Amino acid sequence: MNQTSDSNRQDIVVVGAGIAGLVAAVTAAEAGSRVVLIDAHEPGGRARTTTREGFAYNTGPHALYLAGHLQPFLAARAMDPLGGMPPTGSLNLLRDGRLWQLSLGAMGISRTKLLSPRSRARILGLLARMPHMKTERFVGTTWQEWLGNEPDDVAGILRMFVRTATYGNAEARFDAGAALDQLKLALRGVRYVDHGWQTIVDSLLARFVSLGGTVRSGCTVLAIGADSDVAVETSDGGMVAGAAVIAGLSPDAVERITGTTIAGRGEQGSPLHAASLDLALSRAHSGIVFGIDEPLYLSPHAPVAKLAPDGHGLVSLLRYAPDGEPPETGDVQSVRGRLRALATMAGIVDADILHERYQHRLVVANSFPAARAGGLRGRPAVDALGIAGVFVAGDWVGPEFQLADAASASGESAARRAIAHVANTAHVGV
């Protein structure tokens, strides 16, 4: 590591300016810490939004879970973004190559031909009990094992709901307790955010800067180590800090820049991937489609949220890649063609489409909560590196939440640990 002067010393360095890093940076700056936020790219990570001809494309379909961690964190700071809740009262479910309509109300479920009479009663009972279900007794059981005694039609509906809530297609390894927790969270409501998740990024960034924080974009972190202080080597030179938070990076990247091994990492779930297709439409389109026997999703995100010009629509489609599927499996042409075919089945014709964006292998999450690791409680903690003053945050860290909410929750937790570490070492040095 290069030697650095005290004039370049920070209280806390946050590496990574996605949701985890932004939440960590804001939390630390609110406590009065001198904070620098570093990212090799522009801030936002997977929360960045691209705008084209008045259409706002998120990096894949995004939903803000109202009962998660991020939304309350934003609301407590008067940054709760505007948006709309998708109409989920009536769904179109894809099974056996055809669409079946299902109303989620008691009357609709009790009358659907999609389920047997006994299965209708089972689904109604599960939905009624879900908000109060004690999920901890299912920790360590795979989602596949949990579904084992369910009739095929009930299991298909439950797979579809959990796949949509978790963005995961890994039932043979996914922890059932975590899957059910996320389903409970989704049933409490989600919001599509006006103008895209870039509004969340911009709000957090503006708050951080207003508190005196420093942002260094286009700066790559090469190595992090600790002795009495934390030393951070970057493409722009070195700096020292009282503590560091490595936020939103993959486990591979964290191990590479710290030269450490994350304890128990081999038991964790692998990254979740998906193929995403966004369609900018000349007209509004209504109707959600969830695949039962195919891992597919279609939802109109505009005009539910303001993501398109007035009178237009923006529809997002997704194919959840199965756990362990090799990157070369499912070539671009066939997967994209399948998503376009689903759009056609839903009533979207070529003449409706003004332009589109396809992303073949998005990283949805850097890891999923695996049953053999103990679900959420078995994920690495913010101090999992065992390096004094260096903490981690991201969608694979901490005992709470999944996806962006896990990033947000661990970002806040890691920042608070960093603040305490700086305070403790300063006290010892007095």
Side-chain angles (χ1 to χ4, degrees), residues 289-335:
V289 179
F290 293 146
I292 293 181
D293 53 4
E294 291 185 77
L296 302 176
Y297 156 102
L298 179 154
S299 182
H301 282 237
V304 175
K306 294 179 180 178
L307 297 165
D310 290 344
H312 294 66
L314 180 65
V315 170
S316 290
L317 300 96
L318 209 67
R319 175 190 178 265
Y320 308 94
D323 180 32
E325 180 180 76
E328 63 273 12
T329 301
D331 64 89
V332 171
Q333 184 174 354
S334 64
V335 174

Side-chain angles (χ1 to χ4, degrees), residues 41 61 65 73 108 117 149 160 198 222 237 251 326 331 356 372 425:
H41 308 284
Y65 287 80
F73 184 90
N149 295 324
M160 174 268 293
Q198 189 69 44
L222 305 174
D331 64 89
E356 61 187 76
R372 69 177 182 177
T425 52

Side-chain angles (χ1 to χ4, degrees), residues 110-310:
S110 64
R111 291 180 174 179
T112 182
K113 301 297 184 183
L114 186 63
L115 299 165
S116 70
R118 177 175 292 185
S119 295
R120 295 171 203 161
R122 175 63 174 160
I123 289 290
L124 286 170
L126 281 170
L127 290 177
R129 294 196 305 273
M130 188 66 65
H132 312 289
M133 183 179 289
K134 303 296 184 183
T135 59
E136 56 269 17
R137 67 182 185 272
F138 304 120
V139 172
T141 299
T142 69
W143 180 232
Q144 187 177 70
E145 290 168 342
W146 191 90
L147 290 170
N149 295 324
E150 296 291 349
D152 287 346
D153 52 355
V154 172
I157 296 289
L158 294 173
R159 283 191 186 95
M160 174 268 293
F161 279 137
V162 164
R163 198 163 50 224
T164 305
T166 65
Y167 287 65
N169 186 8
E171 67 180 68
R173 295 200 293 149
F174 208 111
D175 183 71
L180 292 166
D181 280 340
Q182 190 70 1
L183 180 53
K184 288 171 64 175
L185 196 69
L187 291 173
R188 294 176 67 180
V190 303
R191 179 186 303 153
Y192 296 163
V193 175
D194 286 350
H195 312 297
W197 274 51
Q198 189 69 44
T199 61
I200 297 175
V201 171
D202 292 345
S203 294
L204 288 167
L205 195 61
R207 180 161 182 79
F208 174 62
V209 172
S210 74
L211 293 165
T214 300
V215 180
R216 294 187 183 177
S217 58
C219 179
T220 301
V221 172
L222 305 174
I224 294 178
D227 190 2
S228 56
D229 282 319
V230 175
V232 181
E233 187 73 19
T234 80
S235 57
D236 292 342
M239 67 179 72
V240 294
V245 177
I246 306 173
L249 276 66
S250 70
D252 280 345
V254 171
E255 291 184 343
R256 184 174 63 252
I257 65 174
T258 60
T260 60
T261 299
I262 299 167
R265 182 186 168 193
E267 300 295 305
Q268 304 301 317
S270 49
L272 295 175
H273 295 95
S276 172
L277 177 65
D278 295 304
L279 302 177
L281 305 181
S282 60
R283 61 173 180 83
H285 173 81
S286 60
I288 295 173
V289 179
F290 293 146
I292 293 181
D293 53 4
E294 291 185 77
L296 302 176
Y297 156 102
L298 179 154
S299 182
H301 282 237
V304 175
K306 294 179 180 178
L307 297 165
D310 290 344

